[in-house]
Amino acid sequence: FQNASFYLNEGEKIGILGINGTGKSTLLKMLAGMVSPDEGKITRANHIVVEYLPQHPVFEDKDDVLTSVIKRHITEENKWDIESQAKAMMTRLGITDFKQPTGQLSGGQKKRLALVSVLLTPSDVLILDEPTNHLDNDMASWLEDTLMSLKTAIIMVTHDRYFLDNVSNRIVEIDKGQIYS
């Protein structure tokens, strides 16, 4: 990116467009704090909670699906509630064997599992890289409704223009190292 400037307002839902290889996923990783920019800076409010959905989620193969989804989020206070929420979301997304090892899941099932994981805990910002990949129309509609009902700020990249237009209230384009709002 060259002289790039980007901002996110509270509760705003931003879609990012650009051809393959323009740096969309890299931008998301920088915004999530996973990658540092070579120069410049990213400023975020103190104590902000950011959840990130990678394009290709990775789980421990030996963990069962329920453990995989809740282990980053579980506390003694929310143990019973978070398990039931996770099971309800997984069931809605077609994952019903909660003891199945994640190593046995397809890439699409892992993406659904990762979606459940990022939606479980309230956050200030959700960063989603291709959230509709491997979802059928019913599941994409469920995700659209879920994201639209959240007061959380969202930054997402997707090639599903219909989904992007319905969920986003601002579109940002990346082209030749520049970010255009």
Side-chain angles (χ1 to χ4, degrees):
F1 301 108
Q2 301 160 1
N3 300 317
S5 179
F6 180 83
Y7 65 91
L8 176 67
N9 294 313
E10 186 174 338
E12 192 171 27
K13 293 173 174 46
I14 296 178
I16 299 176
L17 293 176
I19 62 172
N20 289 344
T22 58
K24 299 180 303 288
S25 292
T26 301
L27 175 62
L28 294 185
K29 289 176 185 174
M30 282 192 274
L31 296 173
M34 300 175 67
V35 174
S36 297
D38 294 334
E39 49 185 66
K41 64 180 177 174
I42 296 175
T43 305
R44 60 175 66 88
N46 291 335
H47 303 94
I48 195 167
V49 177
V50 176
E51 285 292 325
Y52 170 69
L53 173 74
Q55 187 170 359
H56 304 288
V58 177
F59 293 99
E60 293 290 328
D61 286 346
K62 62 179 175 38
D63 285 348
D64 63 65
V65 296
L66 182 60
T67 300
S68 293
V69 166
I70 66 174
K71 73 180 182 180
R72 288 186 322 123
H73 309 285
I74 196 164
T75 65
E76 201 55 46
E77 293 81 29
N78 73 4
K79 180 179 180 179
W80 302 111
D81 187 44
I82 203 162
E83 284 184 18
S84 63
Q85 287 177 12
K87 286 178 180 179
M89 275 195 259
M90 283 190 288
T91 299
R92 178 63 182 96
L93 292 174
I95 299 171
T96 56
D97 181 359
F98 307 126
K99 294 294 181 191
Q100 182 178 12
T102 57
Q104 296 176 0
L105 299 178
S106 68
Q109 290 170 313
K110 287 179 182 177
K111 185 69 166 212
R112 290 182 224 151
L113 207 61
L115 268 171
V116 172
S117 183
V118 300
L119 293 172
L120 269 179
T121 300
S123 62
D124 300 303
V125 179
L126 272 177
I127 298 175
L128 308 172
D129 198 349
E130 296 292 351
T132 58
N133 275 10
H134 308 292
L135 298 184
D136 63 24
N137 288 336
D138 287 341
M139 290 181 199
S141 290
W142 171 84
L143 180 60
E144 180 180 320
D145 293 342
T146 300
L147 295 178
M148 289 173 58
S149 71
L150 296 175
K151 297 195 183 332
T152 302
I154 299 172
I155 304 169
M156 72 179 129
V157 168
T158 180
H159 287 97
D160 184 341
R161 186 60 195 246
Y162 178 81
F163 182 86
L164 197 65
D165 287 341
N166 285 339
V167 176
S168 302
N169 53 24
R170 181 163 59 112
I171 303 288
V172 171
E173 184 177 359
I174 298 176
D175 186 36
K176 298 178 183 153
Q178 299 292 317
I179 298 176
Y180 301 97
S181 291

